[in-house]
């Protein structure tokens, strides 16, 4: 069974330090939480050649009218089975645009360096987040800065299995 777990999620709640409510100001830049939480996976299906990740906040649609993409990544090697705390940055994986790249309102002046890769949770109220890892039978041909639709199109028909970890944060 393909399974995704995290030591940073306890009783369905993400540890406060991995979002905007953290007491550690060094973990937040431009109002965006920068330190990714640790997670690991196991039980991937035979024939897995790579993984892709999406970290989403579907509750954000009620607040701002859009589902929030916190992190999308692809080209994760088949022999990798974990991300350590903070490892979302500085890795050799292919990272896509997050929703901090929105070109309007409070997001239009966010520096480009925060528009791809990981950007942690910063809700005004409690939201439910979903981290999904896809086991793929290919290595998607994407480049850094890809968009969500690019990833979805490149993995379509190549998903062997997926594992989901739900967590709450905020409130």
């Amino acid at each position: 069974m393909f399974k995704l777990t995290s030591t940073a999620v306890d009783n369905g709640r993400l540890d406060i330090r991995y979002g905007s409510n953290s007491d550690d100001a060094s973990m937040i830049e431009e109002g965006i939480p920068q330190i990714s939480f640790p997670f690991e996976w196991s039980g991937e299906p035979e024939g897995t050649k790579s993984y892709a990740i999406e970290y989403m906040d579907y509750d954000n649609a009620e607040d701002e009218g859009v589902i929030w993409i916190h992190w999308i990544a692809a080209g994760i090697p088949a022999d990798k089975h974990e991300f350590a705390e903070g490892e979302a940055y500085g890795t050799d994986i292919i990272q896509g645009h997050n929703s901090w790249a929105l070109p309007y309102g409070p997001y239009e002046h966010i520096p480009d360096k925060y528009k791809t890769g990981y950007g942690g949770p910063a809700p005004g109220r409690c939201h439910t987040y979903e981290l999904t890892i896809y086991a793929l039978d290919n290595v998607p041909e994407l480049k850094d800065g890809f968009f969500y639709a690019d990833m979805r199109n490149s993995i379509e028909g190549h998903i062997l299995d997926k594992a989901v970890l739900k967590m709450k944060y905020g409130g």
Side-chain angles (χ1 to χ4, degrees):
M1 182 168 119
F2 194 31
K3 187 173 181 177
L4 177 61
T5 60
S6 174
T7 58
V9 177
D10 185 29
N11 289 322
R13 293 197 64 87
L14 179 62
D15 189 304
I16 194 169
R17 67 183 260 108
Y18 297 107
S20 60
N21 295 333
S22 175
D23 292 333
D24 185 351
S26 70
M27 296 179 77
I28 301 170
E29 296 176 19
E30 297 287 329
I32 304 167
Q34 296 296 299
I35 305 299
S36 59
F37 56 92
F39 60 94
E40 55 281 331
W41 60 94
S42 62
E44 69 279 357
E46 191 172 320
T48 299
K49 294 197 169 109
S50 73
Y51 301 99
I53 291 172
E54 61 182 42
Y55 182 37
M56 310 292 277
D57 175 2
Y58 296 101
D59 288 344
N60 193 69
E62 183 179 334
D63 298 336
E64 297 184 276
V66 296
I67 295 167
W68 200 266
I69 302 167
H70 284 277
W71 186 31
I72 50 176
I76 301 164
D79 62 352
K80 185 169 183 61
H81 291 95
E82 68 179 349
F83 274 88
E85 177 181 270
E87 191 180 350
Y89 282 105
T91 65
D92 292 334
I93 62 171
I94 305 159
Q95 309 239 17
H97 276 89
N98 57 44
S99 291
W100 300 102
L102 288 172
Y104 62 83
Y107 311 108
E108 64 186 331
H109 300 295
I110 289 178
D112 286 347
K113 76 177 199 171
Y114 300 108
K115 295 179 180 181
T116 58
Y118 181 87
R125 62 181 176 85
C126 184
H127 285 199
T128 301
Y129 296 82
E130 289 187 15
L131 176 66
T132 303
I133 186 162
Y134 297 94
L136 306 174
D137 68 2
N138 73 339
V139 179
E141 293 186 26
L142 296 167
K143 295 183 186 323
D144 278 331
F146 66 85
F147 289 91
Y148 184 62
D150 299 326
M151 184 175 90
R152 298 297 301 171
N153 291 334
S154 72
I155 69 174
E156 186 177 351
H158 297 283
I159 300 169
L160 298 172
D161 203 352
K162 71 178 184 177
V164 178
L165 178 63
K166 290 185 178 185
M167 66 205 81
K168 293 188 179 295
Y169 187 87

